[in-house]
Amino acid sequence: ALVDTRPITTNGAYWLFGTTNNGTMTFTTATSGGTLVTDTEARTNQWVHYAATRSGTNLRLFANGQLVASATDSTNIGSNVLKIGRNAYSGSAPDTWWLGYTSDLRIVKGTAVYTAAFTPPTAPLTAVTNTTFLLNPNPSIVDKAQTSNLQLVGNTTGSTTQVKFAGSKSMYFDGTGDYLAVSSSSTDYDLPADFTIEAWIYPTALSSDRIIVDTYNSSQAGSY
């Protein structure tokens, strides 16, 4: 699975982007009784641009801008979770986890961006009208200590609008749904003895309860 939206406890209605048993890419609209559009060629060890679109009842799959499969589909496609790089329903099966790289994953709800052959993008994708998700790996937001994986939530991004040092970027949070979640060892941010926490900050507004960094857990228990 490259992207899977199946519920964790039951197959149900969903959409999925992933590979078939013979290694070709396919887009699926439901577990049973739905529609599949599948590439005719397995393309390994190369960058491939895939796009699944639906315009009216026309479901299409493009590979590198060329139409490789089409079908008629009017499924009301449900979703429950969004898992990238693994099978959402059978997450304990590591043979279903994505093996390779991905970049510029965009989900547009309400618009079929491509309905005929096109030239694949030659620059990072942008949030066009009706974009609900856009994942651009941003080299300016990395943990240079190389101990943590960072999850960018909302439209958190690197910015050159305000920077402290020439030629660098800052992280921009617009105050509405933007944050970074850090995945790490459960003890990485414990502070049992001496410590230092520092940052350059540039507030655009100041009010109560605006958090820079928080280690409070979701159950609101324990020390933080």
Side-chain angles (χ1 to χ4, degrees):
L2 176 62
V3 186
D4 195 355
T5 64
R6 274 181 288 189
I8 296 173
T9 57
T10 179
N11 271 330
Y14 71 99
W15 61 266
L16 178 147
F17 226 148
T19 58
T20 64
N21 289 337
N22 61 7
T24 56
M25 284 294 294
T26 187
F27 179 83
T28 307
T29 63
T31 302
S32 60
T35 307
L36 289 79
V37 279
T38 305
D39 192 3
T40 57
E41 179 182 347
R43 309 166 194 256
T44 56
N45 297 309
Q46 59 182 300
W47 281 107
V48 185
H49 180 273
Y50 277 103
T53 72
R54 186 170 67 183
S55 175
T57 60
N58 296 311
L59 181 67
R60 301 177 174 94
L61 180 67
F62 298 91
N64 290 330
Q66 299 301 307
L67 182 66
V68 293
S70 62
T72 299
D73 179 80
S74 58
T75 309
N76 183 4
I77 309 171
S79 65
N80 291 267
V81 297
L82 181 67
K83 295 290 186 180
I84 300 169
R86 57 164 274 189
N87 182 312
Y89 175 63
S90 181
S92 62
D95 61 338
T96 66
W97 296 355
W98 188 249
L99 181 59
Y101 305 88
T102 186
S103 179
D104 293 80
L105 173 61
R106 183 171 67 184
I107 300 171
V108 182
K109 180 180 179 179
T111 305
V113 178
Y114 312 108
T115 58
F118 61 94
T119 301
T122 57
L125 293 178
T126 59
V128 298
T129 301
N130 292 331
T131 297
T132 60
F133 183 86
L134 176 58
L135 183 63
N136 291 114
N138 191 331
S140 68
I141 303 180
V142 296
D143 173 23
K144 291 194 174 182
Q146 297 183 346
T147 62
S148 304
N149 293 320
L150 306 182
Q151 177 188 4
L152 278 63
V153 181
N155 57 353
T156 305
T157 186
S159 174
T160 57
T161 302
Q162 292 291 345
V163 296
K164 178 59 184 174
F165 304 105
S168 66
K169 290 185 178 181
S170 61
M171 291 180 294
Y172 177 64
F173 305 90
D174 65 12
T176 306
D178 292 1
Y179 64 92
L180 288 175
V182 180
S183 173
S184 65
S185 164
S186 60
T187 61
D188 277 355
Y189 306 109
D190 292 357
L191 302 174
D194 301 350
F195 66 84
T196 301
I197 301 169
E198 61 182 323
W200 287 100
I201 66 170
Y202 188 107
T204 55
L206 290 173
S207 59
S208 62
D209 292 333
R210 294 290 183 174
I211 306 299
I212 299 176
V213 185
D214 192 0
T215 62
Y216 212 13
N217 62 37
S218 58
S219 63
Q220 299 184 357
S223 60
Y224 67 96

